[in-house]
Amino acid sequence: MILPSLVNYFIYIGIIIGIYGLFALGLNLEWGFTGILNFGHVAFMGIAAYTMAILNIAGLNLFISIIIGIALSIVAGVLIGAPTLKLRGDYLAIVTIAFSEIIRYFYINEGWLTGGAGGLSNFNQLLGFLPSQYKQIGFLIVTLALLGIVYVFLEKLINSPWGRVLKSIREDEEVSKALGKNIYKYKIQSLAIGSGIAGIAGILQAFNNYLVLPSSYKPLITFYAWIIVVLGGSANNKGSLVGAIIFVAFFESTRFLPLGDVRVGSLRMIIIGLLLILLMLFRPQGILGNKEELKLDI
Amino acid sequence: MNSILTINDVKKSFDGIDALNGASFDVEKGKITGLIGPNGAGKTTLFNTITGFISPESGSIKFEGEELIGKPPYEITRKGLARTFQITRSLDKMTVMDNLLLAPREQTGESVIWPIITPGKVEEEEIEVREMAMDILEFFNLDEHKDEYAGSLSGGQKKLLELARVLMIEPKMVLLDEAFAGVNPSLSNKLVDYIKHLRDDHEISFLLIEHDIPLIMEVCEDIIVMAKGEVIARGKPKEIKNNQKVLDAYLGVVHDE
């Protein structure tokens, strides 16, 4: 029965691509379109996933737990953004990465609430009502549907006057201010929406793993999103999706190298590093990025 | 005198150095007023203070009778007081058209929800704003470049773009910080014509910082001279030309008071 397991494997890859695609789309809104240097993107993924798991285990309806989880990651985005978005980019980067680590240590240490290092797994399945042979494919459909909705929503927003203000903030905050825009408000909105999208990705990931674990929310995951965004081309939503496909495909294809997990893990990072160097040398705008835009930086 | 902007005893220091030392003057409505003075006189600091980019220690700045101090830049702009920057600042990775479309005040589509809920209304507004932008681009002969990135324009064209963008705000008053610096003579004549036209036909008041004295003598009806954070002279171009205090300030002569 090699064929069904192969099909299942591709379904699994499709789900991972969807989750990373969503996660990267959120970062792309913040960085690509608004210029917010968020190095703590993974925190918002974890907040939604843990909230959902904790509330559902406590007996709350799954659907409501999901909504509250995503809402809380949005609120967290606002709360983190409010005091920090007036900071210069590099300071913001430090604050956000610190925040994401504080949150992760909270998961590890507050075991009474979060299950500690072992995480939480007793929450309901999203598609528990489906017969088991359809669960995977059903979950793929849900994931891709959410990805599609978020993508269309973002494209609409980016091409609206609202998106135009975001781009002006990315280009030159002072000009944006001088043209009468309350840039602080827009940055908070961008971070809040980006965080909400990360929250959706986090919840999907939790259902996919049947588990939420502190180690799923390491800073490394944030940098995966950065790799995807840069690879696909910043400020391009389609680029983020292409980036996610390439990134996940690369990750999965190296899985079968007969070197053992630790070595494969290190080798991956070496290869990704080399690929990024080559990308910066030969296609610095990313795969779908606009070369004309890049020339303007010089 | 019908003044649009009244500045009264504004003080600002940076690390103990007084940039503005009680500057006071008012700007007459519908006039082109020049603000000159040697380097370090506090002209740009004053511009930044008027537009809310820096807050002064004391004093009062009133625009159409309303106090501006304490208000953030975006609120001041929305009252119809717009500015340009000393160094031209175009939004390079946005098209020329988008640079202009960004500027109008109070656009429904600039809130995060309306583009999703009422895309039709937002689109209607966009069409209107786009028409206005086309008119202004034609006025500045930039219409051919509307779909190009602002960053690909020449230095002179960027100056025009900055002025065009400010007009999209439909301002009552514009502060121009060295709009003529590094501009070739033919373009600078053009800019002068534009400014005069805008004043005559749209009743926009101008306050301009300028180092090109002959040019400012030609353009401005009223000139304010600053030195060391204070206003040292004011008058018609002829009066300023012959004012000993002004000459001294430019030449660095110190008087015992």
PDB file of all heavy atoms in Angstrom, chain B residues 3 9-11 13 43 60 71 74 83-84 95 108 124 127 130 145-146 162 168 179 192 200 209 228 238 252 255:
ATOM      1  N   SER B   3      -3.858  87.857   9.573  1.00  0.00           N
ATOM      2  CA  SER B   3      -2.801  86.838   9.598  1.00  0.00           C
ATOM      3  C   SER B   3      -3.381  85.433   9.690  1.00  0.00           C
ATOM      4  O   SER B   3      -4.401  85.194  10.328  1.00  0.00           O
ATOM      5  CB  SER B   3      -1.840  87.108  10.743  1.00  0.00           C
ATOM      6  OG  SER B   3      -2.547  87.168  11.948  1.00  0.00           O
ATOM      7  N   ASP B   9       6.785  84.139  20.682  1.00  0.00           N
ATOM      8  CA  ASP B   9       7.764  83.840  21.718  1.00  0.00           C
ATOM      9  C   ASP B   9       8.093  82.344  21.844  1.00  0.00           C
ATOM     10  O   ASP B   9       8.092  81.786  22.933  1.00  0.00           O
ATOM     11  CB  ASP B   9       7.250  84.372  23.061  1.00  0.00           C
ATOM     12  CG  ASP B   9       8.399  84.592  24.044  1.00  0.00           C
ATOM     13  OD1 ASP B   9       9.550  84.720  23.579  1.00  0.00           O
ATOM     14  OD2 ASP B   9       8.132  84.614  25.254  1.00  0.00           O
ATOM     15  N   VAL B  10       8.392  81.712  20.713  1.00  0.00           N
ATOM     16  CA  VAL B  10       8.658  80.274  20.731  1.00  0.00           C
ATOM     17  C   VAL B  10      10.108  80.013  21.106  1.00  0.00           C
ATOM     18  O   VAL B  10      11.031  80.599  20.544  1.00  0.00           O
ATOM     19  CB  VAL B  10       8.328  79.645  19.363  1.00  0.00           C
ATOM     20  CG1 VAL B  10       8.767  78.185  19.323  1.00  0.00           C
ATOM     21  CG2 VAL B  10       6.837  79.743  19.089  1.00  0.00           C
ATOM     22  N   LYS B  11      10.269  79.124  22.095  1.00  0.00           N
ATOM     23  CA  LYS B  11      11.614  78.780  22.555  1.00  0.00           C
ATOM     24  C   LYS B  11      11.849  77.286  22.451  1.00  0.00           C
ATOM     25  O   LYS B  11      10.987  76.477  22.798  1.00  0.00           O
ATOM     26  CB  LYS B  11      11.806  79.221  24.007  1.00  0.00           C
ATOM     27  CG  LYS B  11      11.905  80.717  24.140  1.00  0.00           C
ATOM     28  CD  LYS B  11      12.224  81.148  25.550  1.00  0.00           C
ATOM     29  CE  LYS B  11      12.301  82.675  25.555  1.00  0.00           C
ATOM     30  NZ  LYS B  11      12.074  83.239  26.865  1.00  0.00           N
ATOM     31  N   SER B  13      15.412  74.559  22.855  1.00  0.00           N
ATOM     32  CA  SER B  13      16.862  74.369  22.879  1.00  0.00           C
ATOM     33  C   SER B  13      17.185  72.891  22.740  1.00  0.00           C
ATOM     34  O   SER B  13      16.404  72.022  23.123  1.00  0.00           O
ATOM     35  CB  SER B  13      17.450  74.930  24.165  1.00  0.00           C
ATOM     36  OG  SER B  13      16.910  74.256  25.280  1.00  0.00           O
ATOM     37  N   LYS B  43      15.680  78.385  11.313  1.00  0.00           N
ATOM     38  CA  LYS B  43      14.555  78.386  10.365  1.00  0.00           C
ATOM     39  C   LYS B  43      13.895  77.014  10.258  1.00  0.00           C
ATOM     40  O   LYS B  43      12.678  76.883  10.401  1.00  0.00           O
ATOM     41  CB  LYS B  43      15.039  78.831   8.968  1.00  0.00           C
ATOM     42  CG  LYS B  43      15.721  80.190   8.976  1.00  0.00           C
ATOM     43  CD  LYS B  43      16.209  80.574   7.585  1.00  0.00           C
ATOM     44  CE  LYS B  43      17.222  79.650   6.951  1.00  0.00           C
ATOM     45  NZ  LYS B  43      18.565  79.605   7.439  1.00  0.00           N
ATOM     46  N   SER B  60       3.732  80.126  21.700  1.00  0.00           N
ATOM     47  CA  SER B  60       2.434  79.795  21.131  1.00  0.00           C
ATOM     48  C   SER B  60       2.502  79.908  19.611  1.00  0.00           C
ATOM     49  O   SER B  60       3.173  80.781  19.064  1.00  0.00           O
ATOM     50  CB  SER B  60       1.380  80.749  21.713  1.00  0.00           C
ATOM     51  OG  SER B  60       0.378  81.010  20.772  1.00  0.00           O
ATOM     52  N   LYS B  71      -0.071  69.483  19.357  1.00  0.00           N
ATOM     53  CA  LYS B  71      -0.788  68.623  18.404  1.00  0.00           C
ATOM     54  C   LYS B  71       0.221  67.839  17.566  1.00  0.00           C
ATOM     55  O   LYS B  71       1.269  68.352  17.201  1.00  0.00           O
ATOM     56  CB  LYS B  71      -1.657  69.471  17.481  1.00  0.00           C
ATOM     57  CG  LYS B  71      -2.815  70.149  18.203  1.00  0.00           C
ATOM     58  CD  LYS B  71      -3.921  70.520  17.225  1.00  0.00           C
ATOM     59  CE  LYS B  71      -5.215  70.825  17.938  1.00  0.00           C
ATOM     60  NZ  LYS B  71      -5.130  72.001  18.815  1.00  0.00           N
ATOM     61  N   TYR B  74       0.163  64.920  12.136  1.00  0.00           N
ATOM     62  CA  TYR B  74      -0.939  64.571  11.247  1.00  0.00           C
ATOM     63  C   TYR B  74      -2.173  65.444  11.472  1.00  0.00           C
ATOM     64  O   TYR B  74      -2.897  65.764  10.532  1.00  0.00           O
ATOM     65  CB  TYR B  74      -1.286  63.072  11.328  1.00  0.00           C
ATOM     66  CG  TYR B  74      -1.926  62.616  12.616  1.00  0.00           C
ATOM     67  CD1 TYR B  74      -3.306  62.607  12.759  1.00  0.00           C
ATOM     68  CD2 TYR B  74      -1.159  62.168  13.678  1.00  0.00           C
ATOM     69  CE1 TYR B  74      -3.898  62.173  13.932  1.00  0.00           C
ATOM     70  CE2 TYR B  74      -1.740  61.742  14.852  1.00  0.00           C
ATOM     71  CZ  TYR B  74      -3.107  61.738  14.980  1.00  0.00           C
ATOM     72  OH  TYR B  74      -3.692  61.324  16.140  1.00  0.00           O
ATOM     73  N   ARG B  83       3.561  70.999   4.579  1.00  0.00           N
ATOM     74  CA  ARG B  83       4.972  71.347   4.485  1.00  0.00           C
ATOM     75  C   ARG B  83       5.706  70.460   3.482  1.00  0.00           C
ATOM     76  O   ARG B  83       5.258  69.390   3.121  1.00  0.00           O
ATOM     77  CB  ARG B  83       5.650  71.170   5.831  1.00  0.00           C
ATOM     78  CG  ARG B  83       5.802  69.699   6.184  1.00  0.00           C
ATOM     79  CD  ARG B  83       6.671  69.477   7.395  1.00  0.00           C
ATOM     80  NE  ARG B  83       8.048  69.877   7.136  1.00  0.00           N
ATOM     81  CZ  ARG B  83       8.997  69.840   8.056  1.00  0.00           C
ATOM     82  NH1 ARG B  83       8.723  69.431   9.274  1.00  0.00           N
ATOM     83  NH2 ARG B  83      10.232  70.207   7.769  1.00  0.00           N
ATOM     84  N   THR B  84       6.871  70.950   3.055  1.00  0.00           N
ATOM     85  CA  THR B  84       7.799  70.072   2.347  1.00  0.00           C
ATOM     86  C   THR B  84       9.074  70.032   3.171  1.00  0.00           C
ATOM     87  O   THR B  84       9.205  70.744   4.159  1.00  0.00           O
ATOM     88  CB  THR B  84       8.129  70.600   0.940  1.00  0.00           C
ATOM     89  OG1 THR B  84       8.800  71.855   1.065  1.00  0.00           O
ATOM     90  CG2 THR B  84       6.876  70.774   0.106  1.00  0.00           C
ATOM     91  N   THR B  95       4.430  54.594  -6.904  1.00  0.00           N
ATOM     92  CA  THR B  95       4.377  55.301  -8.178  1.00  0.00           C
ATOM     93  C   THR B  95       4.107  56.779  -7.926  1.00  0.00           C
ATOM     94  O   THR B  95       3.679  57.177  -6.835  1.00  0.00           O
ATOM     95  CB  THR B  95       3.256  54.756  -9.077  1.00  0.00           C
ATOM     96  OG1 THR B  95       2.012  54.989  -8.425  1.00  0.00           O
ATOM     97  CG2 THR B  95       3.427  53.271  -9.359  1.00  0.00           C
ATOM     98  N   THR B 108     -12.079  57.731   3.084  1.00  0.00           N
ATOM     99  CA  THR B 108     -12.784  56.604   3.708  1.00  0.00           C
ATOM    100  C   THR B 108     -11.951  55.325   3.646  1.00  0.00           C
ATOM    101  O   THR B 108     -11.867  54.572   4.604  1.00  0.00           O
ATOM    102  CB  THR B 108     -14.114  56.341   2.974  1.00  0.00           C
ATOM    103  OG1 THR B 108     -14.757  57.582   2.772  1.00  0.00           O
ATOM    104  CG2 THR B 108     -14.999  55.421   3.768  1.00  0.00           C
ATOM    105  N   GLU B 124     -15.373  54.691  -5.540  1.00  0.00           N
ATOM    106  CA  GLU B 124     -15.901  55.969  -6.048  1.00  0.00           C
ATOM    107  C   GLU B 124     -14.993  57.126  -5.629  1.00  0.00           C
ATOM    108  O   GLU B 124     -14.656  57.987  -6.436  1.00  0.00           O
ATOM    109  CB  GLU B 124     -17.300  56.231  -5.475  1.00  0.00           C
ATOM    110  CG  GLU B 124     -18.428  55.772  -6.382  1.00  0.00           C
ATOM    111  CD  GLU B 124     -19.765  55.878  -5.666  1.00  0.00           C
ATOM    112  OE1 GLU B 124     -20.008  56.916  -4.995  1.00  0.00           O
ATOM    113  OE2 GLU B 124     -20.555  54.919  -5.751  1.00  0.00           O
ATOM    114  N   ILE B 127     -11.801  57.230  -7.579  1.00  0.00           N
ATOM    115  CA  ILE B 127     -11.936  57.789  -8.931  1.00  0.00           C
ATOM    116  C   ILE B 127     -11.871  59.310  -8.874  1.00  0.00           C
ATOM    117  O   ILE B 127     -11.165  59.948  -9.654  1.00  0.00           O
ATOM    118  CB  ILE B 127     -13.238  57.292  -9.591  1.00  0.00           C
ATOM    119  CG1 ILE B 127     -13.116  55.791  -9.907  1.00  0.00           C
ATOM    120  CG2 ILE B 127     -13.546  58.074 -10.869  1.00  0.00           C
ATOM    121  CD1 ILE B 127     -14.414  55.107 -10.254  1.00  0.00           C
ATOM    122  N   ARG B 130      -8.354  60.416  -8.013  1.00  0.00           N
ATOM    123  CA  ARG B 130      -7.488  60.166  -9.158  1.00  0.00           C
ATOM    124  C   ARG B 130      -7.629  61.273 -10.212  1.00  0.00           C
ATOM    125  O   ARG B 130      -6.636  61.709 -10.798  1.00  0.00           O
ATOM    126  CB  ARG B 130      -7.869  58.807  -9.766  1.00  0.00           C
ATOM    127  CG  ARG B 130      -6.788  58.131 -10.562  1.00  0.00           C
ATOM    128  CD  ARG B 130      -7.222  56.716 -10.902  1.00  0.00           C
ATOM    129  NE  ARG B 130      -6.997  55.809  -9.791  1.00  0.00           N
ATOM    130  CZ  ARG B 130      -5.866  55.122  -9.620  1.00  0.00           C
ATOM    131  NH1 ARG B 130      -4.885  55.256 -10.474  1.00  0.00           N
ATOM    132  NH2 ARG B 130      -5.725  54.318  -8.595  1.00  0.00           N
ATOM    133  N   HIS B 145       4.585  60.625 -16.347  1.00  0.00           N
ATOM    134  CA  HIS B 145       5.345  59.772 -15.427  1.00  0.00           C
ATOM    135  C   HIS B 145       4.471  59.125 -14.362  1.00  0.00           C
ATOM    136  O   HIS B 145       4.984  58.540 -13.420  1.00  0.00           O
ATOM    137  CB  HIS B 145       6.429  60.595 -14.728  1.00  0.00           C
ATOM    138  CG  HIS B 145       7.346  61.302 -15.674  1.00  0.00           C
ATOM    139  ND1 HIS B 145       8.298  60.645 -16.406  1.00  0.00           N
ATOM    140  CD2 HIS B 145       7.421  62.596 -16.041  1.00  0.00           C
ATOM    141  CE1 HIS B 145       8.940  61.508 -17.172  1.00  0.00           C
ATOM    142  NE2 HIS B 145       8.419  62.705 -16.972  1.00  0.00           N
ATOM    143  N   LYS B 146       3.163  59.238 -14.509  1.00  0.00           N
ATOM    144  CA  LYS B 146       2.300  58.856 -13.389  1.00  0.00           C
ATOM    145  C   LYS B 146       2.471  57.415 -12.908  1.00  0.00           C
ATOM    146  O   LYS B 146       2.343  57.146 -11.737  1.00  0.00           O
ATOM    147  CB  LYS B 146       0.828  59.136 -13.716  1.00  0.00           C
ATOM    148  CG  LYS B 146       0.211  58.246 -14.775  1.00  0.00           C
ATOM    149  CD  LYS B 146      -1.245  58.668 -14.988  1.00  0.00           C
ATOM    150  CE  LYS B 146      -1.856  58.041 -16.217  1.00  0.00           C
ATOM    151  NZ  LYS B 146      -2.126  56.609 -16.093  1.00  0.00           N
ATOM    152  N   GLU B 162       6.941  66.784  -5.028  1.00  0.00           N
ATOM    153  CA  GLU B 162       6.702  67.118  -3.631  1.00  0.00           C
ATOM    154  C   GLU B 162       5.672  68.242  -3.518  1.00  0.00           C
ATOM    155  O   GLU B 162       4.778  68.200  -2.671  1.00  0.00           O
ATOM    156  CB  GLU B 162       8.010  67.494  -2.939  1.00  0.00           C
ATOM    157  CG  GLU B 162       8.013  67.052  -1.495  1.00  0.00           C
ATOM    158  CD  GLU B 162       9.304  67.347  -0.748  1.00  0.00           C
ATOM    159  OE1 GLU B 162      10.244  67.898  -1.340  1.00  0.00           O
ATOM    160  OE2 GLU B 162       9.348  67.032   0.446  1.00  0.00           O
ATOM    161  N   MET B 168      -2.298  68.171  -3.130  1.00  0.00           N
ATOM    162  CA  MET B 168      -3.378  67.189  -2.998  1.00  0.00           C
ATOM    163  C   MET B 168      -4.033  67.274  -1.617  1.00  0.00           C
ATOM    164  O   MET B 168      -5.150  66.820  -1.430  1.00  0.00           O
ATOM    165  CB  MET B 168      -2.855  65.766  -3.220  1.00  0.00           C
ATOM    166  CG  MET B 168      -2.508  65.433  -4.648  1.00  0.00           C
ATOM    167  SD  MET B 168      -3.922  65.416  -5.774  1.00  0.00           S
ATOM    168  CE  MET B 168      -4.794  63.925  -5.259  1.00  0.00           C
ATOM    169  N   ALA B 179      12.844  74.989  -1.212  1.00  0.00           N
ATOM    170  CA  ALA B 179      12.292  74.355  -2.402  1.00  0.00           C
ATOM    171  C   ALA B 179      13.163  74.609  -3.632  1.00  0.00           C
ATOM    172  O   ALA B 179      13.102  73.873  -4.608  1.00  0.00           O
ATOM    173  CB  ALA B 179      10.887  74.867  -2.657  1.00  0.00           C
ATOM    174  N   VAL B 192       8.627  79.235  -9.328  1.00  0.00           N
ATOM    175  CA  VAL B 192       8.140  80.549  -8.918  1.00  0.00           C
ATOM    176  C   VAL B 192       6.770  80.813  -9.541  1.00  0.00           C
ATOM    177  O   VAL B 192       5.830  81.247  -8.865  1.00  0.00           O
ATOM    178  CB  VAL B 192       9.149  81.657  -9.316  1.00  0.00           C
ATOM    179  CG1 VAL B 192       8.524  83.032  -9.146  1.00  0.00           C
ATOM    180  CG2 VAL B 192      10.413  81.535  -8.492  1.00  0.00           C
ATOM    181  N   ASP B 200      -2.407  83.076  -6.343  1.00  0.00           N
ATOM    182  CA  ASP B 200      -3.430  83.908  -6.985  1.00  0.00           C
ATOM    183  C   ASP B 200      -4.747  83.162  -7.181  1.00  0.00           C
ATOM    184  O   ASP B 200      -5.814  83.693  -6.881  1.00  0.00           O
ATOM    185  CB  ASP B 200      -2.926  84.403  -8.347  1.00  0.00           C
ATOM    186  CG  ASP B 200      -1.729  85.332  -8.184  1.00  0.00           C
ATOM    187  OD1 ASP B 200      -1.555  85.860  -7.073  1.00  0.00           O
ATOM    188  OD2 ASP B 200      -0.976  85.494  -9.159  1.00  0.00           O
ATOM    189  N   ILE B 209      11.437  79.071   3.284  1.00  0.00           N
ATOM    190  CA  ILE B 209      12.821  79.231   3.729  1.00  0.00           C
ATOM    191  C   ILE B 209      13.662  79.199   2.468  1.00  0.00           C
ATOM    192  O   ILE B 209      13.469  78.356   1.605  1.00  0.00           O
ATOM    193  CB  ILE B 209      13.263  78.055   4.609  1.00  0.00           C
ATOM    194  CG1 ILE B 209      12.491  78.043   5.919  1.00  0.00           C
ATOM    195  CG2 ILE B 209      14.770  78.128   4.872  1.00  0.00           C
ATOM    196  CD1 ILE B 209      12.882  76.912   6.851  1.00  0.00           C
ATOM    197  N   LYS B 228      20.119  83.524  15.086  1.00  0.00           N
ATOM    198  CA  LYS B 228      20.253  82.988  16.440  1.00  0.00           C
ATOM    199  C   LYS B 228      18.909  82.782  17.134  1.00  0.00           C
ATOM    200  O   LYS B 228      18.731  83.136  18.292  1.00  0.00           O
ATOM    201  CB  LYS B 228      21.138  83.920  17.272  1.00  0.00           C
ATOM    202  CG  LYS B 228      22.558  83.957  16.716  1.00  0.00           C
ATOM    203  CD  LYS B 228      23.450  84.808  17.550  1.00  0.00           C
ATOM    204  CE  LYS B 228      24.842  84.820  16.961  1.00  0.00           C
ATOM    205  NZ  LYS B 228      25.650  85.929  17.452  1.00  0.00           N
ATOM    206  N   LYS B 238      12.844  95.492  -0.410  1.00  0.00           N
ATOM    207  CA  LYS B 238      13.727  96.668  -0.483  1.00  0.00           C
ATOM    208  C   LYS B 238      14.266  97.065   0.888  1.00  0.00           C
ATOM    209  O   LYS B 238      15.438  97.381   1.040  1.00  0.00           O
ATOM    210  CB  LYS B 238      12.944  97.856  -1.063  1.00  0.00           C
ATOM    211  CG  LYS B 238      13.224  98.076  -2.527  1.00  0.00           C
ATOM    212  CD  LYS B 238      12.588  99.374  -2.983  1.00  0.00           C
ATOM    213  CE  LYS B 238      12.552  99.417  -4.498  1.00  0.00           C
ATOM    214  NZ  LYS B 238      11.578 100.397  -4.988  1.00  0.00           N
ATOM    215  N   GLY B 252      28.203  88.134   9.992  1.00  0.00           N
ATOM    216  CA  GLY B 252      28.733  87.667  11.271  1.00  0.00           C
ATOM    217  C   GLY B 252      29.265  88.772  12.163  1.00  0.00           C
ATOM    218  O   GLY B 252      30.111  88.539  13.021  1.00  0.00           O
ATOM    219  N   HIS B 255      27.354  93.008  17.541  1.00  0.00           N
ATOM    220  CA  HIS B 255      27.178  94.328  18.132  1.00  0.00           C
ATOM    221  C   HIS B 255      27.101  94.223  19.641  1.00  0.00           C
ATOM    222  O   HIS B 255      26.542  93.281  20.165  1.00  0.00           O
ATOM    223  CB  HIS B 255      25.867  94.958  17.643  1.00  0.00           C
ATOM    224  CG  HIS B 255      25.942  95.436  16.242  1.00  0.00           C
ATOM    225  ND1 HIS B 255      26.547  96.595  15.884  1.00  0.00           N
ATOM    226  CD2 HIS B 255      25.483  94.885  15.087  1.00  0.00           C
ATOM    227  CE1 HIS B 255      26.457  96.755  14.579  1.00  0.00           C
ATOM    228  NE2 HIS B 255      25.822  95.720  14.059  1.00  0.00           N
TER     229      HIS B 255
END
